[in-house]
Amino acid sequence: MTVSAKTVFDDLETLKKELIRCMKCGNCMSVCPIYNVEKKESSVARGKIALGEAILSENIKIDDETLVKLIFNCLVCKSCMLACPSGVRFDRIILGLRSAIVKKKGIPFVKKALFGLLRNSELFDKGMKAFAAMQGLFLSAEEEKKRKPRGFLRGISSRFDEKFILPELSRESFRDRSKEKEEVSLPQATALFFTGCSVNYLYPEVGDDLIYVLKENNVTIITPKKQNCCGMPVMVHGDIETAREIAKKNIDIFEKTEAQYIVTVCGSCGSALKHEYPIILENTEYEERAKKWAQKVYDISVFLLKVIKFKEPKGKLNLKVTYHDSCHLKKSMKVFNEPRQLLKMIPGLTLVEMKKPDACCGSGGSYHLTYANTSLKIAKEKAEDIKATQANVVCTGCPACMMEIFESLNRFGGNCHVTHTVSLLAKSYKNERAGNV
Amino acid sequence: MIDREFIDKCKNIFGHENVLTEKAELIAYSYDATPGIPRETPGVVVFPENTKQIQELIFLARQTKTPIYPRGAGTSLSGGPVPLSKGVVISFQKMNKILEVDPDNLTATVQPGVVVAELNTAVSKFGLLYPPDPGSMATATVGGTVAENAGGLRGLKYGVTKHYIMGMEVVMPTGEVFRFGGKTVKNVTAYDFTHLFVGSEGTLGIVTEIICKLIPAPKYRKAMIAFFDRLEDAGKTVTDIVRNHVIPATLEIMDKVTIQTVENFAKVGLPTDAEALLLIEVDGMGKDSVEWEAEKCVEIIKQNNGKYKIAETDSERDSLWQARRAALPALAQVKPATILEDATVPRTKLVDMLIGVQNIAQKYGLMIGTFGHAGDGNLHPTLLVDPMNSEEMAKVHKAVDEIFETALSLGGTLSGEHGIGVAKLKYLKNEIGRSGIDTMRRIKQALDPDNILNPGKLVPMED
Ligand SMILES: Cc1cc2nc3c(=O)[nH]c(=O)nc-3n(C[C@H](O)[C@H](O)[C@H](O)COP(=O)(O)OP(=O)(O)OC[C@H]3O[C@@H](n4cnc5c(N)ncnc54)[C@H](O)[C@@H]3O)c2cc1C
Ligand code: SF4
Ligand code: SF4
């Protein structure tokens, strides 16, 4: 590790200049999904910034148990950053604070602190590990359509109750079955597909659809088998060192390919590669490389519409679709127009907007397990908004949101099918080939 | 004093889930949006859901002489909700129901925690409008805006909060519940209590229900933006418009520093050599009258050597407004912190005030961007500062003193809309004099004999 100068992740003092930008105007309160449910100052960016200030002025200890819980009570959805008139970089602040807690007390301490929020502590470790590798691994590979968590999971979070379901788990991960390289004749570009864990383990069909769509558009696809998790799950838990290691390994892997671009189908992965890597690798020998790769990262919708020559979908899909904006896709990657544009191009498809398409779905990585009550309330509002559109399909650009929405629609009733933008596109291309135009 | 017993009693009154006692939670109630004032952590925070709970809390607080600090959204710019002597913070965030919209009497009855923007969303379904629109309306509460008598961008034509409050329910500092006013347009029964409690900054009573007046929402509007090479021309445009009996809904000004900063930050295509910019929007129920008013404004702008752009579509309107909306965010980018002042002068003294502020900026070598509600003479000189630079901060304090002095010397006031709170307490006597202070004290003592309600704010109890 060669950290030459200090970053917010290494030295809390450097957070001062980030904290001071907050003028306590309260604008963030109007958009924070957690505040909307809990109505406490500590739920929102402004209150957490005040806690940061209190830590620095030694008014409160960084391992104060309530404080730790409050600092982790954040979805890192970045909604507040968009509403902030003062340009407060709240992502750095919250990750900096979490990282300081982890540095001071270690990961086990944090787990234990968050644990108090969970029902059964011994299972947390097991659960978290499995969770990091995506929740699918919790399940036995038996084949009911709707998966209920096995007995031992029930104890972990109140979210794992009798109503909790997960999408069908595939026996084979996406990267197990995909080719390292998919060649096309006369390629217009070569793109690296960064699958992310959710697609790899839980939604491999989204991966298949992406490959299908890119091939239709004459793009050669490289899917390195050895690529890692994007690092977001460990990063949001304050384990910046591990996140750094993961980021570096991924960059090494990217550099071994001849890829011109990196394409993602997950808001969080895209956001990690494009925005988080350059930040966490600041002042390391990877900084410039991270920045260079960050410029080549595109969400699939932007890649199709803005980077390459896009083949318009002609196949008919008679569907009423509503689109959910993933927080990281919209608020971090600023992608919200392109997916809608793509959907509107599909013949037969009508797009109906829900009340607040960019309201968080409540997932927030493991947030929906550790802070199950708040998360459920956020999820419920989303489910109600989706139902109100009477759409037959809800579509989004992030598999983590797909999972959460799938779960909450089931819980709160609603027979809307959940899918990914790229899957609808693939379907349209396929219908076109089948002559259904 | 807040001890175990006090907290247990709070939990009995409000229920466990509505009482915060952990230090980390309490720290998040030690501030509002006012820069550079002292912070203090309260002893306990409670979330009432009904009037009776508040009454019980008052009895408890009186017995124990515990100070009470009402808090809406904590966006005050004068220190109103800060718990200076620890005590209890009452947060109204869970007392946030719209009780009734009555489109025939043109009223809405709300609990104090309702967010102003949400009230407007609710009444817009009836084609109605609740006009007071502070810049903070996406978060500020009706209770907080009533307590501060908040203004907004529409003040010139539509007035401020006090013009839209018809009655309320208040829990008095002595514990009685008092209702006054109502849905009638006319009401001269008893003292005009509405005007006593609006703007009382939480020092005279706790507002628990509010009857708001609504108006039909204007159907047409037209926005334009004008640039001037001389401040005097901009100032004359403002007075000429009013003299010609056009009352725009919005008549906003930005000075050169603000224009340049906005352009730098948002690249909206503003001419950076202009001395001043005016954003003007006229509105009304009739298309013709709105067109006429817009034409009149254009004529006056031209007479005063201004260049202008007029919005023909909604998206053009949005882009004109973007410049104004970017003012504060843009200024905030320049330095680590901003101090937003609120001095207000008669409309005819606008230019003198702007020049006065520029001179003060020059004298102390500070960067001050001024923008604000020109039609109301209500300016927001915004000082761009670095709180960690104590030398600079010393100059800032002097500059702020002089800004207030200038405003008063021009026949203006300390605060047009942000209130006195703690931030401007020391200047109060300069405006209202000894007799004014004495009158305020007598009112305060008569209604709050134990001085438990928001002590240390608005009313200087000692010299
Ligand atoms: C970005 C920004 C823009 C702003 N723009 C404007 C503007 O354009 N115009 C303007 O006038 N102000 C503006 N303000 C100032 C502020 O928003 C207003 O003063 C607003 O009225 C405060 O409302 P609040 O709900 O946040 O109240 P708080 O700040 O929580 O409280 C304000 C005062 O009201 C008292 N109070 C709150 N609720 C009650 C109650 N139920 N009963 C009795 N007392 C109560 C408190 O004790 C306190 O003294 C702005 C502030 C910010 C940060
Ligand atoms: S990141 Fe999201 S959850 Fe966290 S404070 Fe900001 S808006 Fe709230
Ligand atoms: S919106 Fe930004 S400046 Fe305002 S309180 Fe929130 S974080 Fe602070």
Side-chain angles (χ1 to χ4, degrees):
Chain A
M1 255 312 286
T2 52
V3 176
S4 47
K6 299 218 159 121
T7 70
V8 290
F9 306 113
D10 306 296
D11 180 4
L12 215 45
E13 278 294 311
T14 57
L15 258 189
K16 231 180 215 160
K17 64 176 197 305
E18 304 287 340
L19 295 171
I20 213 166
R21 296 206 80 95
C22 171
M23 52 185 181
K24 306 286 180 301
C25 70
N27 272 16
C28 42
M29 292 155 81
S30 65
V31 293
C32 174
I34 298 181
Y35 187 82
N36 184 35
V37 167
E38 298 181 343
K39 303 285 184 197
K40 297 187 300 176
E41 281 278 341
S42 68
S43 312
V44 70
R46 176 168 80 163
K48 293 181 168 72
I49 288 169
L51 288 175
E53 291 162 348
I55 295 170
L56 283 170
S57 61
E58 295 180 3
N59 183 13
I60 192 163
K61 289 219 173 67
I62 195 161
D63 53 357
D64 177 284
E65 223 172 278
T66 312
L67 177 114
V68 172
K69 281 178 200 156
L70 297 179
I71 295 296
F72 278 87
N73 185 21
C74 168
L75 294 151
V76 201
C77 69
K78 308 194 188 194
S79 302
C80 48
M81 292 170 68
L82 244 62
C84 178
S86 198
V88 171
R89 303 194 288 188
F90 187 68
D91 49 353
R92 288 177 189 232
I93 292 176
I94 195 71
L95 296 180
L97 288 172
R98 288 179 181 182
S99 152
I101 294 170
V102 166
K103 285 231 154 87
K104 175 98 190 280
K105 304 296 286 185
I107 299 272
F109 169 83
V110 170
K111 285 184 181 164
K112 198 160 151 263
L114 293 188
F115 236 170
L117 306 169
L118 302 180
R119 268 203 241 139
N120 183 337
S121 40
E122 290 94 69
L123 291 170
F124 183 75
D125 227 25
K126 215 171 178 181
M128 275 321 285
K129 249 182 226 140
F131 196 76
M134 275 356 274
Q135 286 134 307
L137 298 187
F138 283 149
L139 301 165
S140 62
E142 288 130 31
E143 310 352 303
E144 330 116 87
K145 188 109 196 154
K146 290 185 173 173
R147 313 266 157 168
K148 299 215 183 280
R150 282 158 147 201
F152 84 89
L153 273 173
R154 294 266 171 90
I156 289 188
S157 165
S158 56
R159 191 75 187 259
F160 285 141
D161 56 13
E162 60 296 333
K163 284 201 181 141
F164 190 91
I165 57 155
L166 286 167
E168 191 171 1
L169 179 75
S170 68
R171 256 178 264 205
E172 197 182 29
S173 81
F174 173 74
R175 293 201 300 269
D176 281 345
R177 72 191 195 204
S178 67
K179 284 198 242 160
E180 183 94 23
K181 190 166 186 181
E182 288 272 2
E183 307 241 30
V184 293
S185 53
L186 300 176
Q188 57 165 328
T190 303
L192 186 149
F193 176 30
F194 190 85
T195 68
C197 299
S198 322
V199 163
N200 192 39
Y201 294 113
L202 216 53
Y203 288 113
E205 69 277 13
V206 173
D208 298 337
D209 291 335
L210 175 104
I211 302 278
Y212 190 87
V213 166
L214 285 179
K215 281 167 88 175
E216 285 280 316
N217 280 281
N218 278 329
V219 174
T220 294
I221 309 133
I222 303 168
T223 312
K225 295 247 188 253
K226 290 233 168 79
Q227 58 178 291
N228 297 286
C229 165
C230 67
M232 200 69 127
V234 287
M235 188 160 27
V236 298
H237 285 96
D239 187 359
I240 300 293
E241 290 316 326
T242 307
R244 278 179 174 144
E245 291 316 310
I246 292 176
K248 288 177 183 175
K249 274 193 198 142
N250 277 332
I251 290 174
D252 289 339
I253 287 167
F254 301 159
E255 286 175 349
K256 285 202 195 94
T257 69
E258 70 273 31
Q260 297 165 284
Y261 305 100
I262 298 178
V263 174
T264 58
V265 285
C266 167
S268 303
C269 293
S271 170
L273 303 186
K274 205 167 179 67
H275 299 288
E276 272 43 81
Y277 282 14
I279 297 176
I280 61 174
L281 295 175
E282 243 166 43
N283 298 322
T284 72
E285 70 277 21
Y286 277 75
E287 179 172 354
E288 287 312 312
R289 289 146 77 187
K291 281 191 192 147
K292 192 188 91 188
W293 282 102
Q295 286 171 0
K296 303 183 180 192
V297 175
Y298 293 95
D299 176 66
I300 179 64
S301 63
V302 181
F303 183 74
L304 292 173
L305 288 174
K306 297 266 167 76
V307 180
I308 60 165
K309 196 171 166 302
F310 177 53
K311 175 184 162 189
E312 266 200 46
K314 298 264 164 56
K316 205 162 184 170
L317 289 184
N318 282 325
L319 292 173
K320 190 167 163 187
V321 178
T322 190
Y323 180 79
H324 159 74
D325 285 292
S326 133
C327 290
H328 287 158
L329 195 54
K330 176 165 183 192
K331 289 150 199 165
S332 192
M333 298 191 65
K334 312 280 190 293
V335 177
F336 50 94
N337 267 329
E338 291 82 358
R340 291 180 167 82
Q341 235 172 302
L342 282 178
L343 291 172
K344 285 185 196 155
M345 285 169 133
I346 297 176
L349 187 152
T350 27
L351 179 65
V352 279
E353 294 286 355
M354 65 184 91
K355 211 162 97 197
K356 286 188 272 177
D358 64 353
C360 179
C361 66
S363 162
S366 64
Y367 185 88
H368 67 163
L369 301 184
T370 44
Y371 295 81
N373 290 340
T374 300
S375 152
L376 263 185
K377 288 185 189 144
I378 299 173
K380 179 159 192 235
E381 211 166 297
K382 181 99 275 178
E384 298 300 340
D385 285 356
I386 292 172
K387 280 194 283 178
T389 65
Q390 297 187 327
N392 9 60
V393 173
V394 52
C395 150
T396 182
C398 181
C401 301
M402 284 170 68
M403 193 158 52
E404 181 74 10
I405 292 173
F406 178 76
E407 202 274 327
S408 47
L409 277 177
N410 179 69
R411 184 181 290 267
F412 302 111
N415 39 17
C416 189
H417 181 70
V418 185
T419 192
H420 194 286
T421 319
V422 84
S423 298
L424 290 177
L425 208 50
K427 227 182 223 141
S428 170
Y429 285 140
K430 284 177 190 165
N431 280 357
E432 184 181 350
R433 289 203 180 264
N436 178 8
V437 284
Chain B
M1 248 289 287
I2 294 183
D3 50 16
R4 264 236 82 78
E5 200 189 331
F6 190 96
I7 286 174
D8 285 343
K9 285 186 177 154
C10 283
K11 286 182 178 162
N12 279 339
I13 300 172
F14 298 98
H16 274 254
E17 67 289 359
N18 289 324
V19 179
L20 299 179
T21 57
E22 295 287 337
K23 184 173 181 187
E25 295 279 14
L26 300 178
I27 286 173
Y29 288 85
S30 60
Y31 51 78
D32 63 1
T34 319
I37 57 163
R39 289 189 186 175
E40 188 56 78
T41 308
V44 58
V45 177
V46 299
F47 295 86
E49 282 165 344
N50 59 56
T51 305
K52 188 152 177 307
Q53 290 172 328
I54 296 169
Q55 204 178 13
E56 285 177 37
L57 177 74
I58 294 265
F59 292 135
L60 179 61
R62 276 196 85 182
Q63 276 166 16
T64 52
K65 301 268 182 286
T66 309
I68 296 180
Y69 299 93
R71 182 183 181 94
T75 65
S76 160
L77 286 168
S78 50
V82 178
L84 283 181
S85 317
K86 298 180 184 290
V88 190
V89 165
I90 311 186
S91 167
F92 285 98
Q93 291 287 320
K94 293 186 185 171
M95 203 161 156
N96 62 348
K97 287 187 191 61
I98 296 174
L99 301 171
E100 183 200 45
V101 178
D102 180 345
D104 298 327
N105 282 309
L106 293 176
T107 60
T109 306
V110 303
Q111 290 188 324
V114 169
V115 171
V116 177
E118 277 164 22
L119 173 57
N120 259 319
T121 310
V123 303
S124 69
K125 291 184 193 115
F126 300 90
L128 298 173
L129 178 73
Y130 174 69
D133 60 341
S136 51
M137 68 188 285
T139 45
T141 62
V142 177
T145 50
V146 164
E148 295 287 359
N149 188 10
L153 294 166
R154 287 193 278 251
L156 175 60
K157 181 167 181 179
Y158 293 103
V160 298
T161 303
K162 71 175 173 191
H163 301 116
Y164 294 91
I165 304 304
M166 300 175 71
M168 31 178 134
E169 179 188 81
V170 178
V171 179
M172 299 302 293
T174 39
E176 303 93 334
V177 176
F178 178 26
R179 298 184 73 102
F180 51 82
K183 289 186 182 179
T184 60
V185 173
K186 296 176 173 175
N187 180 333
V188 293
T189 305
Y191 288 134
D192 187 353
F193 286 109
T194 307
H195 281 89
L196 178 64
F197 283 94
V198 173
S200 63
E201 300 190 11
T203 62
L204 298 181
I206 299 177
V207 180
T208 47
E209 201 178 295
I210 302 145
I211 303 175
C212 305
K213 172 176 150 180
L214 307 173
I215 62 166
K219 286 205 168 65
Y220 300 95
R221 59 191 179 195
K222 194 123 213 177
M224 68 193 82
I225 203 163
F227 307 99
F228 300 87
D229 290 337
R230 289 167 5 111
L231 267 182
E232 287 77 4
D233 288 339
K236 188 145 179 307
T237 303
V238 171
T239 41
D240 283 356
I241 288 177
V242 177
R243 181 174 297 162
N244 278 276
H245 298 176
V246 175
I247 307 293
T250 300
L251 182 42
E252 294 282 305
I253 193 165
M254 279 163 56
D255 74 348
K256 189 171 189 168
V257 173
T258 313
I259 297 172
Q260 289 175 344
T261 316
V262 166
E263 185 51 29
N264 230 342
F265 166 74
K267 306 265 179 286
V268 281
L270 303 180
T272 48
D273 52 349
E275 277 296 328
L277 167 168
L278 292 177
L279 173 71
I280 306 167
E281 184 164 290
V282 290
D283 68 0
M285 281 304 190
K287 198 165 190 226
D288 292 346
S289 65
V290 170
E291 288 292 343
W292 178 83
E293 290 190 346
E295 277 163 29
K296 199 82 205 161
C297 289
V298 167
E299 205 176 287
I300 295 165
I301 293 168
K302 283 195 210 151
Q303 277 164 13
N304 286 297
N305 314 310
K307 296 185 203 71
Y308 69 96
K309 246 192 277 181
I310 196 156
E312 300 296 345
T313 62
D314 274 354
S315 77
E316 280 176 26
R317 172 183 183 264
D318 275 352
S319 74
L320 296 190
W321 272 87
Q322 208 193 336
R324 171 61 180 86
R325 284 197 205 101
L328 186 58
L331 291 169
Q333 301 293 319
V334 179
K335 287 274 214 130
T338 49
I339 297 183
L340 184 85
E341 280 311 341
D342 178 32
T344 302
V345 293
R347 192 176 304 127
T348 45
K349 300 286 185 204
L350 192 70
V351 173
D352 305 73
M353 188 65 205
L354 281 165
I355 291 172
V357 173
Q358 286 179 355
N359 290 341
I360 294 168
Q362 212 162 34
K363 177 171 167 191
Y364 291 103
L366 295 170
M367 196 167 165
I368 309 183
T370 303
F371 61 94
H373 320 305
D376 312 337
N378 182 192
L379 293 175
H380 293 313
T382 305
L383 294 88
L384 313 183
V385 305
D386 178 359
M388 299 209 266
N389 179 344
S390 52
E391 208 178 304
E392 186 179 87
M393 287 312 284
K395 289 191 210 157
V396 166
H397 294 308
K398 285 198 193 131
V400 169
D401 288 353
E402 283 185 30
I403 289 175
F404 287 129
E405 236 168 75
T406 311
L408 290 184
S409 74
L410 292 169
T413 178
L414 296 170
S415 176
E417 52 183 18
H418 296 166
I420 298 300
V422 275
K424 286 168 208 153
L425 205 54
K426 70 168 178 171
Y427 307 106
L428 188 60
K429 201 167 143 206
N430 301 346
E431 184 169 334
I432 64 167
R434 179 85 247 165
S435 54
I437 301 274
D438 286 345
T439 307
M440 288 187 63
R441 278 184 195 158
R442 273 184 235 124
I443 294 174
K444 172 75 174 165
Q445 275 157 356
L447 298 186
D448 181 11
D450 303 303
N451 194 22
I452 53 170
L453 202 53
N454 213 0
K457 318 288 173 61
L458 183 59
V459 193
M461 294 308 277
E462 282 148 30
D463 286 310

